[in-house]
Amino acid sequence: MGDVLAGFHAAWEFESDSVLIRYERGIRTPKLFQSLGERRVPLAALAGVTLTPGKRGTVVLRAEPRPGADPLLEAAAGQLKDGSDPYRLVVPAERATLAEYYADELRPLLTESGPADRFLVAAPEGPRQFKAYDGKASFDGSAVHFRWSWTGASTAKWKAGDQSFAVADLGGVEWRSPEVFEGHLRLLRRDLAGAKPTVPADQDPATVVFGLGYGPVHESLPFAAAVLEAVRAKGAAAVPTPAGRRDPADIAERIRHLGELHRAGLVTDEEFAAKKAELLAEL
């Protein structure tokens, strides 16, 4: 079709095989939309489109993605509020006729239905790192890295040390929104597929915890979606990526903190010696 329908916070450009959604970057635009920038959604990823009355003189045009088609929604697992739904376009009531026209034009082009067997929408391009409450998470495309913070991380995580998880070793992610109680991002190991995690998030070295402004939706959810996309693409035949050499200053910092835990009686002599040896071996 090649036409554009502009609404609050976004504009949809209708093309022959896709819908290009461009999100605004204004101060009133949800931060998740600003983080997404723009997304191209193939028509094959959509099962339908609806047009419903909105609030305060608006109408809402919503594309209905097929289950399994978008890594962002798969990671969100139904936790996004309506205002942060990237598939909703809120349009002023005076454009309702135009919105209805585009909905009618789009419906006959949506010939696919049911769950998708692969991701059809690309994961957001950024960000690839964010600060959680108890550490910093980063993703380089082949591995996820957790670096624990001095103030937020539990003793269990400090004892375990900073973590690196090769994509090939992962089976998925578990994202819990920071807008609900006890948000976190947990990495699920491939060899434990189907097993329900039993370790609390704040004690699990495969999990970073959100809270107090750390790990907001617009940072942690795109990150989770990117990891999930890489995990699905890698498949079972992936080869783990070995961790690189560590920064000596970082190792020294970790040993100093480990010594503080030891002096406080939170780490035994044996644990201190073993962990110190592990850290030195990473140089």
Side-chain angles (χ1 to χ4, degrees), residues 10-174:
W12 290 12
E13 182 175 348
F14 301 92
E15 301 180 353
S16 61
D17 61 351
S18 62
V19 177
L20 178 61
I21 304 177
R22 294 190 175 94
Y23 302 96
E24 294 182 357
R25 298 186 179 277
I27 190 172
R28 296 184 178 181
T29 301
K31 289 185 177 181
L32 177 60
F33 292 177
Q34 297 183 46
S35 177
L36 295 177
E38 69 175 41
R39 306 188 81 201
R40 183 175 298 278
V41 182
L43 299 186
L46 302 176
V49 59
T50 61
L51 184 65
T52 57
K55 299 179 180 179
R56 294 187 292 274
T58 64
V59 294
V60 179
L61 182 66
R62 185 179 190 275
E64 300 176 351
R66 297 167 59 195
D70 184 349
L72 185 77
L73 293 194
E74 288 298 296
Q79 298 173 77
L80 287 178
K81 298 178 179 179
D82 283 349
S84 297
D85 183 348
Y87 287 90
R88 292 175 81 250
L89 181 67
V90 181
V91 180
E94 58 266 25
R95 298 181 193 168
T97 301
L98 187 60
E100 184 176 9
Y101 165 78
Y102 285 124
D104 290 340
E105 289 289 302
L106 191 57
R107 287 189 182 101
L109 303 178
L110 306 182
T111 59
E112 303 291 338
S113 61
D117 59 1
R118 59 186 176 86
F119 290 141
L120 300 172
V121 184
E125 293 184 358
R128 291 294 181 266
Q129 63 181 22
F130 69 92
K131 287 185 178 180
Y133 175 71
D134 56 0
K136 181 179 180 181
S138 60
F139 177 48
D140 59 14
S142 61
V144 181
H145 309 280
F146 291 162
R147 178 180 175 182
W148 308 122
S149 70
W150 279 51
T151 55
S154 64
T155 300
K157 291 183 177 180
W158 271 108
K159 286 183 177 181
D162 294 346
Q163 301 289 302
S164 292
F165 303 88
V167 166
D169 293 336
L170 301 177
V173 301
E174 178 186 83

Side-chain angles (χ1 to χ4, degrees), residues 205-265:
T207 306
V208 287
V209 176
F210 308 147
L212 301 177
Y214 293 95
V217 171
H218 69 280
E219 294 181 355
S220 61
L221 180 56
F223 183 100
V227 174
L228 183 58
E229 181 184 57
V231 168
R232 296 280 180 88
K234 197 73 172 178
V239 177
T241 302
R245 294 179 65 85
R246 296 282 296 279
D247 182 356
D250 181 58
I251 295 294
E253 177 182 285
R254 294 296 182 266
I255 291 176
R256 282 195 298 271
H257 184 72
L258 187 65
E260 292 175 3
L261 294 175
H262 180 235
R263 288 189 293 274

Side-chain angles (χ1 to χ4, degrees), residues 180-197:
V180 298
F181 186 63
E182 295 184 348
H184 64 258
L185 172 64
R186 190 191 304 266
L187 304 178
L188 305 176
R189 288 170 47 186
R190 187 180 299 277
D191 58 352
L192 297 178
K196 185 177 181 180

